[in-house]
Amino acid sequence: LSPTHQEKKITLLKHVKTIQFHKDDENFFGGISSVTVDNKGNLLVYDYVQGKIFIFDNQYRFLKSFGRRGRGPGDMGFAGIGRRGNIANEKLNFVVGRGFLVADNVNGKILVFDAKGNLTDELKVECSGRKFFPLVDGKGNTFVPSISGGAVDVYGKNLSRLHTLLCSADMTRFFDFSPKKAWTVRILSKPSSNNVFYDFSVKGHFLIYLVHPSILYVLDTKEFEVLYQFPIRPKGALVDRENRIKLDEMKKQTKEYKELVKKIPKIKTNFFQYYALFPNFFVDKDDRRYFYLTNIIVTSNIEKVYKYSYKGDLVEVLTFKPEYGDYLNVREKRNGRFYGIGNNKIIILKRGTND
């Protein structure tokens, strides 16, 4: 272990608010899949069951809901019948100067909304139906999981591919994880928002995190060349027996994975079971020098969020104790607060001392 991976500071997170929304028969949470917050504190929640987006103000008061399934302008996903039917599991993001971004992997586009829910733009993307994190830079270039043998593809406004990031023989197949089995991962697949995370860091730096084998790549934003890379192996994550077992499994499976890749496409199946040490990643929207990793494993009823600098230093470990029976997946940090999804509820945390 590198000296930078030793836990030196542990911070407790305090519960602020739980949003368990059911206003009437038209406005309620059916199944939350994503949440994001703008710089004024307005909260956007996507419900994949209904194909709706819910907006709350910075006091968490409900403002409105909007959205519908379809293929037309402003529509999200598509609910069909039989083998032709598919429903998008949209991802949300907020970019200053652009607005709220909604990734529609079924229709292959990014929808842009303002804080009042008005559609302001639609951007076509090449995603081949795979789930992706919606990201657009100041020039209007879009970033999606690669369909060209790399980790991430960068497209210009006219859908011309400008860059393929981390393009090498090692990027021919990616591990994916099954949401039905939480942290148990079972699929050998192509890059998607389940196994490749990416976002902008401080000026001039772009981050790509590969869930397996838990490595962060730091690239420059001019030519998108790799500046450096480092493995994520915090000592605290290995204290618990479950995580030690997971790491041992990852080492063994890396060897098996390389052998499988050599045989592709000769192998008859593309299924391969492994464990993801950190299946969640997000950049600190208040200070992009930092990013967070979560392992969604509860040990002794305590969950941890690991805070790293973009240079590879483990800065602190944030811990919280979910309510009894709750499962919490922290997704975003903005305006000094952490936003997570658990048991079809939005749970908001901040730094402090739990009672």
Side-chain angles (χ1 to χ4, degrees):
L1 293 174
S2 164
T4 61
H5 291 105
Q6 307 301 313
E7 292 185 13
K8 298 179 180 179
K9 181 180 179 180
I10 296 180
T11 302
L12 296 179
L13 292 177
K14 181 180 180 181
H15 176 265
V16 174
K17 179 79 172 179
T18 295
I19 303 176
Q20 192 170 13
F21 182 64
H22 192 141
K23 180 181 179 182
D24 51 44
D25 291 342
E26 296 294 327
N27 295 288
F28 63 93
F29 289 159
I32 303 171
S33 66
S34 191
V35 60
T36 193
V37 186
D38 69 10
N39 54 350
K40 295 182 179 179
N42 297 305
L43 184 69
L44 206 71
V45 180
Y46 180 73
D47 186 323
Y48 73 94
V49 173
Q50 304 177 78
K52 281 186 177 181
I53 291 176
F54 298 89
I55 300 181
F56 299 82
D57 66 15
N58 56 14
Q59 299 298 313
Y60 313 120
R61 295 172 298 203
F62 173 66
L63 297 179
K64 66 180 295 186
S65 65
F66 63 94
R68 64 181 183 181
R69 295 291 185 189
R71 296 187 182 274
D75 293 344
M76 294 174 285
F78 174 72
I81 301 175
R83 296 180 62 183
R84 292 179 178 272
N86 200 354
I87 297 178
N89 191 6
E90 277 84 354
K91 305 288 183 179
L92 301 178
N93 188 22
F94 174 78
V95 176
V96 176
R98 297 290 295 188
F100 287 111
L101 309 182
V102 183
D104 183 347
N105 60 294
V106 172
N107 291 322
K109 62 184 179 181
I110 296 176
L111 298 94
V112 186
F113 297 92
D114 63 20
K116 295 182 179 179
N118 301 311
L119 181 69
T120 60
D121 200 1
E122 278 193 1
L123 305 169
K124 295 295 292 182
V125 297
E126 294 286 352
C127 64
S128 297
R130 281 174 270 170
K131 291 181 287 185
F132 66 95
F133 175 70
L135 186 62
V136 182
D137 66 13
K139 299 178 181 179
N141 300 322
T142 57
F143 298 74
V144 295
S146 179
I147 60 172
S148 310
V152 177
D153 285 338
V154 185
Y155 289 91
K157 291 184 178 180
N158 59 354
L159 279 185
S160 60
R161 188 167 62 249
L162 305 178
H163 303 278
T164 296
L165 311 183
L166 302 187
C167 185
S168 71
D170 294 333
M171 299 295 162
T172 55
R173 292 293 186 274
F174 287 78
F175 291 111
D176 206 348
F177 68 87
S178 168
K180 294 181 180 179
K181 293 187 178 181
W183 56 84
T184 302
V185 193
R186 68 182 183 90
I187 303 175
L188 182 63
S189 65
K190 297 178 180 179
S192 75
S193 61
N194 283 344
N195 50 38
V196 176
F197 293 88
Y198 48 88
D199 205 345
F200 288 99
S201 181
V202 292
K203 185 176 181 180
H205 294 78
F206 186 77
L207 306 182
I208 299 178
Y209 175 65
L210 303 186
V211 172
H212 186 94
S214 192
I215 293 179
L216 186 93
Y217 293 83
V218 182
L219 296 79
D220 72 83
T221 55
K222 186 175 182 180
E223 300 296 333
F224 288 101
E225 297 291 335
V226 176
L227 300 176
Y228 50 89
Q229 65 187 67
F230 56 88
I232 306 294
R233 298 288 189 272
K235 180 180 178 181
L238 308 181
V239 172
D240 299 317
R241 180 174 180 273
E242 290 88 345
N243 283 346
R244 290 201 305 270
I245 293 174
K246 285 172 63 176
L247 187 60
D248 289 340
E249 289 293 326
M250 288 174 66
K251 292 177 180 178
K252 294 177 183 178
Q253 292 153 2
T254 297
K255 296 179 181 179
E256 297 177 20
Y257 165 70
K258 291 180 179 179
E259 293 300 319
L260 279 176
V261 170
K262 293 178 182 178
K263 298 177 182 178
I264 293 173
K266 297 179 182 179
I267 59 175
K268 296 181 180 180
T269 177
N270 66 339
F271 290 94
F272 178 68
Q273 184 170 342
Y274 85 104
Y275 294 92
L277 191 60
F278 297 106
N280 288 307
F281 164 99
F282 56 96
V283 169
D284 190 324
K285 299 298 178 62
D286 294 325
D287 189 342
R288 288 185 175 270
R289 293 177 301 169
Y290 305 104
F291 65 90
Y292 298 87
L293 293 168
T294 63
N295 61 5
I296 63 172
I297 289 184
V298 180
T299 54
S300 302
N301 204 27
I302 297 293
E303 295 193 26
K304 293 182 178 180
V305 179
Y306 295 87
K307 180 180 180 180
Y308 273 87
S309 77
Y310 76 103
K311 295 184 178 180
D313 297 329
L314 178 61
V315 178
E316 65 179 331
V317 180
L318 302 112
T319 66
F320 57 94
K321 189 173 182 179
E323 296 178 8
Y324 180 76
D326 268 1
Y327 155 82
L328 179 59
N329 186 354
V330 180
R331 297 291 189 89
E332 182 155 335
K333 190 258 181 178
R334 191 191 289 273
N335 305 322
R337 300 196 170 182
F338 293 84
Y339 299 83
I341 300 172
N343 292 348
N344 208 31
K345 297 178 285 189
I346 300 297
I347 299 174
I348 303 164
L349 306 168
K350 69 176 182 179
R351 296 172 182 274
T353 302
N354 291 317
D355 296 333

